Amino acid sequence: MKPFHLLINGRLVQGDSQMPVLNPANEEVFADCPRASLRQLNEAVAAAKAAFPAWAARPIAERRAAVIKMAEVIEANAEELSRLLTSEQGKPLAEATWEVMGAAGFFRYLGSLDLSMRVIEDSETRKVEAHRRPLGVIGAIIPWNFPLLIAAFKLPPALIAGNTIVLKPSPTTPLTTLRFAELVADILPPGVLNVITDANDLGEALTLHPDIRKITFTGSTATGRKVMAGAAETLKRLTLELGGNDAGIVLDDADPKKIAQAIFDGAFMNNGQVCLALKRLYVHESIYDEMCEELAVIARNAVVDDGMKQGARLGPLQNKMQFEKVKEFLDDAHKHGTVIAGGQPIDRPGYFIQPTIVRDIAEGSRLVDEEQFGPVLPVIKYSDMDDVIRQANGTDYGLGASVWSSDRDRAHAIARRIEAGTVWINKHLDLAPNVPFGGAKQSGIGVEFAEEGLVEFTQLQIINA
Ligand code: NAD
C-alpha cells in the first residue's frame, strides 16, 4: 500500500511520529499512519490563515468549480476509497461504496449552492444590504462512523463560502480522509485545505487555537461539551452535531410485516453506529408480539462477517472501546429484558456482535435510556399515546425520531409533538443535502446541509448607507 501523508500548506508531509491503524475485522495492524504533532497543527493553522485572504477574494464561481472537481475526483477513485474505508472502519463494502458515492453527491450538491447579497431596504432614507462574508480558518473535527461522508457535510459549504480549513479525522479512521486529501490536493491553492491526524490529543488545541474562527464538530455529546468550553475562550462560532437516542413509535394501525425491514435498516445501518439510527422502538401493545418477531427473524438471518466478504450485511464494530461499550449494553439487555435474537459477541477475532433484538424492556434500563451506538435494539411496549410521547421526549437528546402508521395525518399530528430536529414518517435515516439537519436539546447546536447550513460558515455583514 502507498504510504499516507498529512496535507499541510499544499504539501504531503510525514507526521512527526507514526501510529498504527487496525482493521476491526481482525484486530491486526492494517497500515501505518502519520501522526501530527502540536507543531504541525500550528503549521496547518498558519497555512490556512495565510491562504485565507486570497481564497476569500476569489469569485464564488471559482470556489464552486473547485468543489465540484473534488466530487469528480472522489467518484473517479471510488473503488480505492471504498476498500480503504471498509478496511479501517469495518462497514461492508457495499455500505462503504454508498458512503463514498454519497460524499461525492454532497460535494456536488453543496458545491452548487449560492450566497447572494440581499437588499433589506432601499428607500429614500436608507439603502441596507446584507452580505455574507467568510469567517476565516475553520477547524473541522470528524468521528469514526462516517469519516468521508461527514467530511463531505462540512468541507463544501466551508470552502464555497470562502473559508480555509484544518480537518482532523478520528484516530481510528484517518486513512480514507488522508487518501482523499492527497487526491484533491492539487485542486485547491496551498493552505486552503489542511488535513492532520492525532491520537485523540489535538482536538482541544484546535478548539483553543486563537487563529481558528469556527469549529464544526461531529461526535459525542460529552466531547461536544468540551469543544464548546474550549471555543468559549475565543468566542468561536460552533456547529455541533452530537449524539442521539432516536425513538421510533409504531402506531396500532401499522403493519409489522410491511415495516419491519425498514425499521431494521434504520436501526442497524453501519451496525447501529449512526447518530441518527433508530435506537429505541416503541410498539403499540396490539401488534407488539408480531412486530418483535418480524424484527427477530430479520436479525437472526442477517449475515455478520468481514466487510470485505461478499454478502456481509453487518461488519465488525469500529473499535475496541465501542465493542466493550456495546457488550455492557448486552449485559444490561439480558438483565432487564428478553433477548429474542442475537445477544452475544461472536467468538472470532475482530469486534463482531450478533444483531440483537430485546423485548420486555422499559425505561430505567441503560439500553433504553442511553445511546447504545451499536447493533442492539430495545423494543418497548406501550398502550397510551400521551405516555409514549412523554417517553420519547424523556431524554436530553433530540436528534431524530420516526412515527410508523398507515394513516399519514395521524402520524403527522404525533410527529409535531416530538422534540427532535428531524421526525420521519414511515422511514428513518433519510438524509439529503437539500434538507437541513440538526439536533434539538443536547443533540447539537446549529444545522448542516442546504442554505441554512451554508450560512453557518459565514458572518453576516450589514452595509447601511
Ligand atoms: P468522539 O466525540 O469521541 O470523537 C469525535 C472527534 O472528536 C474525534 O475526531 C476525536 O479525536 C475528537 N476529540 C476527542 N477529544 C476531543 C476534545 N477534547 N476536543 C475536541 N475534539 C476532540 O465521538 P466518536 O466516538 O468518534 O463518535 C461517536 C459519537 O458521535 C456518537 O455519540 C454519535 O451519536 C455522534 N455522532 C453524531 C453525529 C451527528 O451528526 N449528530 C454524526 C455521527 C456521530
Side-chain angles (χ1 to χ4, degrees):
M1 199 183 318
K2 274 197 306 184
F4 294 89
H5 296 95
L6 309 174
L7 176 63
I8 299 177
N9 204 15
R11 284 180 302 121
L12 297 170
V13 299
Q14 305 216 317
D16 274 348
S17 59
Q18 293 285 113
M19 60 183 185
V21 175
L22 303 190
N23 179 341
N26 57 24
E27 298 168 70
E28 285 169 13
V29 175
F30 157 69
D32 224 20
C33 174
R35 174 178 169 186
S37 61
L38 186 59
R39 176 190 74 78
Q40 290 180 307
L41 177 149
N42 287 329
E43 225 176 85
V45 177
K49 187 181 180 188
F52 173 67
W55 180 244
R58 288 199 181 192
I60 187 169
E62 279 182 30
R63 296 196 299 260
R64 282 159 58 183
V67 170
I68 303 291
K69 185 99 195 25
M70 291 163 91
E72 289 163 6
V73 168
I74 295 172
E75 280 160 355
N77 294 276
E79 195 184 335
E80 183 196 357
L81 291 169
S82 305
R83 297 184 81 81
L84 199 51
L85 184 55
T86 291
S87 304
E88 66 174 343
Q89 205 283 337
K91 64 184 67 187
L93 193 55
E95 278 190 31
T97 306
W98 176 89
E99 174 171 349
V100 169
M101 295 310 284
F106 270 79
F107 268 89
R108 201 176 287 285
Y109 180 85
L110 297 175
S112 68
L113 292 176
D114 208 358
L115 269 179
S116 43
M117 185 272 288
R118 188 165 64 92
V119 177
I120 294 176
E121 183 178 331
D122 190 0
S123 66
E124 299 212 331
T125 49
R126 317 187 171 94
K127 178 155 190 203
V128 184
E129 297 167 353
H131 292 260
R132 289 282 172 183
R133 299 173 58 102
L135 292 166
V137 180
I138 308 289
I141 304 178
I142 311 289
W144 45 255
N145 54 350
F146 292 92
L148 197 62
L149 189 59
I150 292 176
F153 296 170
K154 302 178 185 305
L155 299 185
L159 288 171
I160 65 167
N163 303 287
T164 57
I165 299 165
V166 177
L167 175 84
K168 189 195 84 59
S170 172
T172 55
T173 55
L175 301 175
T176 314
T177 316
L178 293 178
R179 189 65 85 218
F180 156 80
E182 185 180 336
L183 290 167
V184 300
D186 290 343
I187 297 175
L188 300 165
V192 170
L193 172 65
N194 305 273
V195 180
I196 58 167
T197 57
D198 72 341
N200 257 338
D201 55 347
L202 292 181
E204 188 186 17
L206 283 175
T207 66
L208 291 172
H209 203 295
D211 289 334
I212 293 182
R213 292 281 170 76
K214 173 186 170 111
I215 297 285
T216 173
F217 171 84
T218 299
S220 62
T221 296
T223 309
R225 277 189 203 104
K226 293 186 195 160
V227 170
M228 197 167 176
E233 198 65 30
T234 44
L235 282 177
K236 288 182 180 59
R237 275 62 182 150
L238 280 178
T239 301
L240 302 177
E241 296 289 359
L242 308 177
N245 193 7
D246 288 17
I249 304 179
V250 181
L251 307 191
D252 53 6
D253 60 11
D255 179 351
K257 272 201 178 46
K258 269 201 194 139
I259 61 176
Q261 187 66 52
I263 288 181
F264 183 85
D265 295 342
F268 289 86
M269 182 195 189
N270 204 27
N271 240 332
Q273 302 167 119
V274 187
C275 56
L276 276 162
L278 200 167
K279 295 185 179 130
R280 306 173 275 161
L281 186 70
Y282 294 87
V283 180
H284 190 267
E285 58 183 356
S286 60
I287 52 170
Y288 183 74
D289 290 342
E290 194 188 346
M291 189 76 246
C292 289
E293 194 45 36
E294 290 291 336
L295 289 168
V297 169
I298 299 173
R300 288 179 206 127
N301 289 329
V303 178
V304 184
D305 206 343
D306 183 328
M308 284 296 186
K309 290 260 174 71
Q310 189 92 28
R313 174 68 183 77
L314 300 173
L317 292 185
Q318 202 282 315
N319 58 68
K320 180 142 176 75
M321 214 168 91
Q322 193 60 26
F323 182 58
E324 296 302 329
K325 203 175 122 190
V326 175
K327 285 200 284 187
E328 287 175 22
F329 280 104
L330 285 179
D331 289 344
D332 184 79
H334 286 288
K335 253 190 229 130
H336 293 106
T338 309
V339 174
I340 53 171
Q344 302 297 336
I346 300 176
D347 186 18
R348 61 180 276 184
Y351 309 129
F352 292 95
I353 288 189
Q354 297 168 341
T356 299
I357 306 288
V358 188
R359 57 171 289 166
D360 310 323
I361 191 161
E363 54 189 338
S365 62
R366 281 192 65 194
L367 183 59
V368 175
D369 295 349
E370 297 177 26
E371 180 185 42
Q372 69 275 49
F373 219 63
V376 188
L377 180 68
V379 187
I380 304 126
K381 190 192 286 186
Y382 77 88
S383 53
D384 178 71
M385 191 44 75
D386 289 337
D387 190 53
V388 75
I389 292 171
R390 175 195 63 76
Q391 291 184 59
N393 289 337
T395 163
D396 289 334
Y397 292 121
L399 202 52
S402 52
V403 183
W404 304 75
S405 166
S406 55
D407 179 341
R408 203 187 281 199
D409 292 341
R410 203 175 151 218
H412 197 274
I414 289 160
R416 302 266 300 146
R417 296 174 62 190
I418 296 178
E419 298 166 355
T422 301
V423 186
W424 289 287
I425 293 177
N426 291 329
K427 56 184 175 177
H428 204 103
L429 249 183
D430 174 26
L431 292 182
N434 59 334
V435 181
F437 145 67
K441 301 195 277 187
Q442 294 187 29
S443 282
I445 293 179
V447 295
E448 295 192 299
F449 309 175
E451 281 79 7
E452 288 87 341
L454 175 59
V455 297
E456 292 203 9
F457 285 98
T458 66
Q459 172 65 47
L460 175 65
Q461 184 185 48
I462 299 294
I463 300 201
N464 186 338

